[in-house]
Amino acid sequence: MRLVHLPDAVTVLLDVVAWGLVHAGTGYLAHRLPMRFLREDRALWRERRWERGGAFYRRTLRIARWKDRVPEAGALFAGGVSKRQVPADDAGGLERFVIETRRAETGHVLAMLPGPLFALWNPAGVAVVMVAYGVLVNLPFVAIQRYNRIRASRVLARARSRSARGTSGSSIP
């Protein structure tokens, strides 16, 4: 429900600035989340049945074709971990990668939430576009984080299983 009526140019400027602040603010908040909070597999981050072990992302979204082409800003924040910085054979690095997928997913989910606030100063049709923008810009990143976390978690589970059995994964005695 539009409560504030502004000239069109001011409204457009406000929309651009507001989205910039939303993205920067939610990125900053996600960056500030404590590691102890991100280590636990909370409800937001748990794998869902419909994801079918990542098959939804691979087969339906064909995520492998486009996930590496989207911009990556996580490494811009101090302490952010880029997927290119995590050694694949390092369990500690892979655990940190899983934590960072949770951080990134949280930031993108948070960035979608303020969309309805744009209805306060935009006409109804534009407000719908603003909400759609918030979802469409962030949802691909949420999908990438979930897909990567499912894959990394499987590798970690196999590594833990091997170490619990006392094997290194090598066939050499």
Side-chain angles (χ1 to χ4, degrees):
M1 171 185 225
R2 187 175 186 183
L3 298 177
V4 179
H5 296 270
L6 301 167
D8 291 346
V10 173
T11 300
V12 169
L13 180 63
L14 181 56
D15 288 341
V16 169
V17 169
W19 274 122
L21 290 172
V22 164
H23 288 294
T26 56
Y28 179 77
L29 287 174
H31 168 67
R32 302 294 301 165
L33 288 172
M35 203 62 94
R36 68 183 179 281
F37 176 78
L38 296 164
R39 277 195 176 95
E40 295 179 36
D41 193 22
R42 300 176 187 277
L44 172 67
W45 306 313
R46 285 192 193 112
E47 184 179 343
R48 308 288 186 240
R49 182 179 294 151
W50 58 266
E51 292 174 296
R52 299 182 323 268
F56 169 77
Y57 301 107
R58 276 190 318 278
R59 294 183 188 144
T60 306
L61 298 182
R62 300 178 189 263
I63 200 165
R65 290 184 180 184
W66 54 266
K67 74 180 186 75
D68 291 329
R69 294 182 185 156
V70 298
E72 184 178 342
L76 296 177
F77 292 98
V81 175
S82 164
K83 62 185 172 255
R84 292 174 189 87
Q85 295 172 320
V86 180
D89 59 344
D90 176 16
L94 206 50
E95 287 173 10
R96 176 67 190 265
F97 181 74
V98 167
I99 287 168
E100 294 303 325
T101 65
R102 291 177 182 144
R103 181 185 310 280
E105 181 180 350
T106 302
H108 285 288
V109 168
L110 289 174
M112 286 189 268
L113 299 179
L117 294 176
F118 286 76
L120 295 175
W121 64 84
N122 279 289
V126 176
V128 169
V129 170
M130 292 291 111
V131 170
Y133 165 82
V135 171
L136 293 173
V137 163
N138 288 287
L139 209 51
F141 294 96
V142 170
I144 291 167
Q145 299 311 317
R146 296 189 67 81
Y147 171 72
N148 285 337
R149 187 169 52 253
I150 289 168
R151 292 174 58 216
S153 295
R154 289 242 155 70
V155 171
L156 278 172
R158 283 193 299 270
R160 288 180 183 132
S161 172
R162 271 195 306 265
S163 76
R165 290 190 315 256
T167 60
S168 66
S170 171
S171 60
I172 300 173

